[in-house]
């Protein structure tokens, strides 16, 4: 949405409702300067930000995806990084906020955040789950109490940010360890790490980056990530051709 806003103009008002004291509060590795710069960039684009408030979507009945209302009411999603859209072009939608205020708009986007999708294991592996629904793993990524099962990415509790780049590193690590298992060798143990470089795009021509404690500006973000959000790179790593390969 913000990519489109930066590209196609600002004739429509945008209000961002956030339940934390600042944006990106779920990423403690980011400096306060990063939070402030992101907020400043969005404000310059005309985005109004309301902090420490929650939106009540229980009365909104215009969801494109019918799962939206149930998930919003439950306050817990079965889908990772849940995002759904409500649209009513004829009459503005009213959304009450926890602070007593209400916001109005023709398009409401519900972003539930990075809630892990644990529907596949929440029953059978409940003994190995933490309070956030993630699987507890050791430094081989083996699931606690289940040495033949391994977990990576959003569903594991490794003390690292939940970023695609780190999940891909975890996958490569597991492939190497699986090869070692087939050869009868001992498993390697992984050293959990923080990302050396974090990109936060804000539209196609803006953003903020954090590199080894240094806060960098829009030029490096635009040159490296904002153009295509790494889609071309990730596609190239996942597939050997432009067409997706279906594995039977």
């Amino acid at each position: 949405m913000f990519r489109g806003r930066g590209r196609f103009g600002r004739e429509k008002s945008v209000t961002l409702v956030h339940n934390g004291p600042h944006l990106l509060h779920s990423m403690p590795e980011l400096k306060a300067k990063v939070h402030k710069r992101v907020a400043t960039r969005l404000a310059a684009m005309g985005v109004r930000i309301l902090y420490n408030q929650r939106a009540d979507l229980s009365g909104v009945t215009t969801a494109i995806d019918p799962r939206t209302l149930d998930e919003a009411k439950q306050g817990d999603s079965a889908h990772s990084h849940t995002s759904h859209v409500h649209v009513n072009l004829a009459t503005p939608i009213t959304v009450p906020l926890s602070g007593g205020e209400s916001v109005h708009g023709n398009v409401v986007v519900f972003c539930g955040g990075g809630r892990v999708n644990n529907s596949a294991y929440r029953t059978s592996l409940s003994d190995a789950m933490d309070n956030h629904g993630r699987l507890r793993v050791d430094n081989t990524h083996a699931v606690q109490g289940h040495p033949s099962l391994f977990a990576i990415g959003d569903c594991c509790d490794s003390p690292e940010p939940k970023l695609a780049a780190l999940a891909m590193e975890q996958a490569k690590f597991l492939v190497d360890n699986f090869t070692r298992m087939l050869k009868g060798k001992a498993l390697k143990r992984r050293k959990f790490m923080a990302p050396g470089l974090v990109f936060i795009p804000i539209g196609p021509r803006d953003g903020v980056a954090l590199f080894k404690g240094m806060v960098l500006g829009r030029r490096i973000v635009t040159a490296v990530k904002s153009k295509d959000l790494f889609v071309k790179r990730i596609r190239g790593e996942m597939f050997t051709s432009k067409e997706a390969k279906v594995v039977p």
Side-chain angles (χ1 to χ4, degrees):
M1 180 174 66
F2 291 127
R3 284 175 63 81
R5 184 173 177 78
R7 180 174 295 172
F8 299 116
R10 305 173 185 175
E11 66 278 3
K12 299 295 183 181
S13 62
V14 175
T15 299
L16 179 61
V17 180
H18 185 58
N19 68 341
H22 53 73
L23 299 178
L24 304 167
H25 75 280
S26 62
M27 299 180 69
E29 68 275 10
L30 298 181
K31 288 188 171 183
K33 187 176 181 180
V34 175
H35 305 147
K36 183 177 180 179
R37 187 169 295 189
V38 170
T40 300
R41 293 278 199 269
L42 289 175
M45 295 171 65
V47 177
R48 176 191 179 206
I49 306 175
L50 302 178
Y51 296 103
N52 295 313
Q53 298 211 49
R54 291 181 178 273
D56 179 6
L57 298 179
S58 60
V60 179
T61 59
T62 55
I64 290 178
D65 189 328
R67 294 173 302 179
T68 304
L69 296 179
D70 291 337
E71 292 171 2
K73 291 175 182 177
Q74 293 170 5
D76 186 19
S77 170
H79 304 275
S80 181
H81 300 284
T82 302
S83 179
H84 299 289
V85 180
H86 306 262
V87 178
N88 189 331
L89 299 181
T91 305
I93 302 168
T94 298
V95 180
L97 305 181
S98 57
E101 182 182 357
S102 292
V103 292
H104 311 274
N106 296 103
V107 179
V108 176
V109 181
F110 168 64
C111 301
R115 300 179 188 275
V116 61
N117 180 359
N118 56 22
S119 58
Y121 60 79
R122 68 167 63 123
T123 300
S124 58
L125 296 176
S126 59
D127 61 317
M129 287 170 47
D130 65 10
N131 293 332
H132 300 287
R134 298 189 177 100
L135 294 171
R136 297 188 180 92
V137 297
D138 61 20
N139 54 8
T140 69
H141 280 276
V143 176
Q144 177 181 305
H146 304 269
S148 62
L149 296 178
F150 298 84
I152 61 174
D154 288 355
C155 72
C156 77
D157 75 336
S158 62
E160 301 171 294
K162 300 305 177 184
L163 301 175
L166 287 179
M168 294 173 73
E169 289 301 317
Q170 294 168 6
K172 293 175 182 177
F173 171 82
L174 271 193
V175 169
D176 183 48
N177 256 355
F178 289 162
T179 302
R180 295 178 67 86
M181 289 173 65
L182 292 173
K183 294 180 179 180
K185 296 182 179 180
L187 298 183
K188 287 185 177 180
R189 296 189 174 274
R190 183 167 172 269
K191 181 179 179 181
F192 297 126
M193 57 185 179
L197 184 59
V198 176
F199 293 107
I200 305 172
I202 307 173
R205 295 181 294 272
D206 206 344
V208 180
L210 183 68
F211 176 64
K212 295 184 177 180
M214 296 184 295
V215 180
L216 307 178
R218 68 187 72 183
R219 290 186 178 181
I220 186 172
V221 182
T222 300
V224 177
K225 185 174 182 179
S226 293
K227 292 180 180 179
D228 69 347
L229 302 179
F230 291 154
V231 171
K232 183 177 180 180
R233 171 189 166 188
I234 294 176
R235 187 187 183 98
E237 292 186 4
M238 293 178 65
F239 308 114
T240 56
S241 69
K242 292 184 179 180
E243 296 299 324
K245 292 189 173 181
V246 177
V247 179

